Amino acid sequence: MNDPWKNARRPSARPPRATPLPPREGGTPPPPGRGNDELRLYGWNAVQALFEHRPQALRKLYLTEALIPRMQPVLKWCVANRVGYRVVEEGDLNKLAATTHHEGLVADVLRAPMLELEEWLATLPAGKPVLALWLDGVGNPHNFGAILRSAAHFGVAGLLLPPGSTLALSGAAARVAEGGAESVPLVRLPELPEAMAQLRAAGLSLAATLVDGGEDLFASALPSRLVYVMGAEGEGMDRELAQDCDHQVSIPGTGAVESLNVASATAVLLAQWFGRSRV
C-alpha cells in the first residue's frame, strides 16, 4: 500500500494555501457541530491510520505549527478536497481534545459504519483460520482501545458487540489503539440465540473466557475458526452465556494476583491463538 504520508518529514517554510476555517474571536477554533456519526480523533497514529484507510472521512483538522512540515501531504490533500484545517496553539488543542495527549494533532472525522453480523460473516474467507472477539460488557474506553490495538496486531477479523451495547469508539480509545481502530471492524450482533446460530453456521466456535474454572488455555486444542467471548471489567462473563459457549477457557498463572484485566487477558488469548494458527 502506498503511504500517503511518505516524505512527510520534509521541511517547509509554510503550509499550502487553503481556505481556512472561519476565524473566531480570541483565536480559538469554533466547536464543531458533531453528531453521532462524527468522532474527534487525536494523536499522530490515530489520525494517520484514518488518513491511510479512509481519507474521505476527514472533516476538519487542527494542528500545531511544529507539525506543518510533517503534515505537508495531508495539508495538500485538504486543499485539493476543500477540507478545512487550522494551525492553532497547544492550549487550543488541549481544549479541543479535552486532554494534553494529542501530540499536536486533532481531527473531526466521520465514524466507520458498524456492520451487521450477516454482512460481516459474508466477508470471512471460507475454510481459513478466523478469530473474532465478542465483547460482553466491556465499557472502559482505555481497555477498549488496548483491545483494539491487540486485535489489529494479531489479525482479529472483527469485534462483535451484543444488542443494546453502548460501547462505541471514542477519541480516547482510538488514541490508545494507536491506529488499530481502522483495521478492525465493529459488528452489531442480533439477539443471543440468533447470533450464536449464525456464528456456528459459518463454522465459528465460541469460547467463553473465565477467570477460573475453565480449561487451561495453554493445554487446550481450540479450533482455528474461533470467537473469544470476553466479560466485563469487574463482573466478568455472564455465567449463562459462558455455559452456552462451545468451550470455556481460563488463563493459568501464579495466583499472586486474582486475575488479569480484560485488555491484558485479551492480548494473551490472541497471542495464543495466533501462534497456533500459524503452525
Side-chain angles (χ1 to χ4, degrees):
M1 179 184 297
N2 291 330
D3 183 0
W5 289 36
K6 190 177 180 181
N7 301 324
R9 295 182 180 274
R10 290 180 179 174
S12 176
R14 65 184 68 181
R17 292 182 180 179
T19 302
L21 298 174
R24 188 175 184 227
E25 186 177 352
T28 303
R34 288 174 294 144
N36 291 333
D37 62 339
E38 288 195 17
L39 169 68
R40 175 160 287 167
L41 293 182
Y42 52 87
W44 175 263
N45 285 333
V47 177
Q48 179 187 34
L50 180 282
F51 187 72
E52 290 176 348
H53 289 86
R54 298 187 298 125
Q56 73 283 356
L58 184 61
R59 287 296 176 266
K60 297 184 183 76
L61 188 68
Y62 306 94
L63 70 159
T64 59
E65 186 174 0
L67 278 185
I68 289 173
R70 194 178 183 191
M71 291 289 291
Q72 284 290 306
V74 182
L75 298 181
K76 290 176 181 177
W77 185 92
C78 287
V79 173
N81 292 274
R82 302 180 65 82
V83 172
Y85 70 85
R86 176 175 291 164
V87 179
V88 298
E89 298 297 326
E90 189 87 10
D92 295 327
L93 291 182
N94 294 345
K95 294 175 184 177
L96 285 164
T99 178
T100 59
H101 301 297
H102 49 66
E103 301 175 310
L105 192 60
V106 173
D108 289 329
V109 306
L110 291 177
R111 292 182 179 275
M114 186 176 288
L115 302 178
E116 299 298 331
L117 179 58
E118 188 174 358
E119 179 185 7
W120 173 74
L121 289 172
T123 69
L124 301 182
K128 293 185 178 180
V130 171
L131 181 62
L133 291 173
W134 177 324
L135 303 186
D136 178 46
V138 175
N140 182 287
H142 291 89
N143 280 338
F144 186 35
I147 288 170
L148 278 167
R149 185 173 184 175
S150 295
H153 183 75
F154 290 113
V156 168
L159 297 190
L160 315 183
L161 305 181
S165 172
T166 59
L167 191 61
L169 186 66
S170 64
R175 183 185 178 278
V176 173
E178 294 287 359
E182 291 297 325
S183 298
V184 186
L186 300 184
V187 181
R188 183 186 293 107
L189 291 172
E191 294 300 326
L192 183 64
E194 183 182 352
M196 286 187 158
Q198 287 191 34
L199 289 166
R200 287 170 174 143
L204 294 163
S205 297
L206 286 82
T209 56
L210 307 177
V211 172
D212 53 49
E215 184 181 354
D216 182 334
L217 173 68
F218 304 116
S220 61
L222 294 172
S224 63
R225 292 175 67 86
L226 187 67
V227 178
Y228 277 128
V229 185
M230 310 300 301
E233 285 91 347
E235 301 81 6
M237 266 201 72
D238 178 85
R239 288 287 166 170
E240 187 173 336
L241 174 58
Q243 291 173 0
D244 287 340
C245 290
D246 306 301
H247 309 272
Q248 294 79 31
V249 296
S250 299
I251 301 172
T254 63
V257 294
E258 182 181 1
S259 64
L260 297 172
N261 79 1
V262 66
S264 299
T266 299
V268 173
L269 292 160
L270 301 188
Q272 175 72 355
W273 176 89
F274 186 78
R276 287 190 174 183
S277 69
R278 295 194 305 166
V279 174

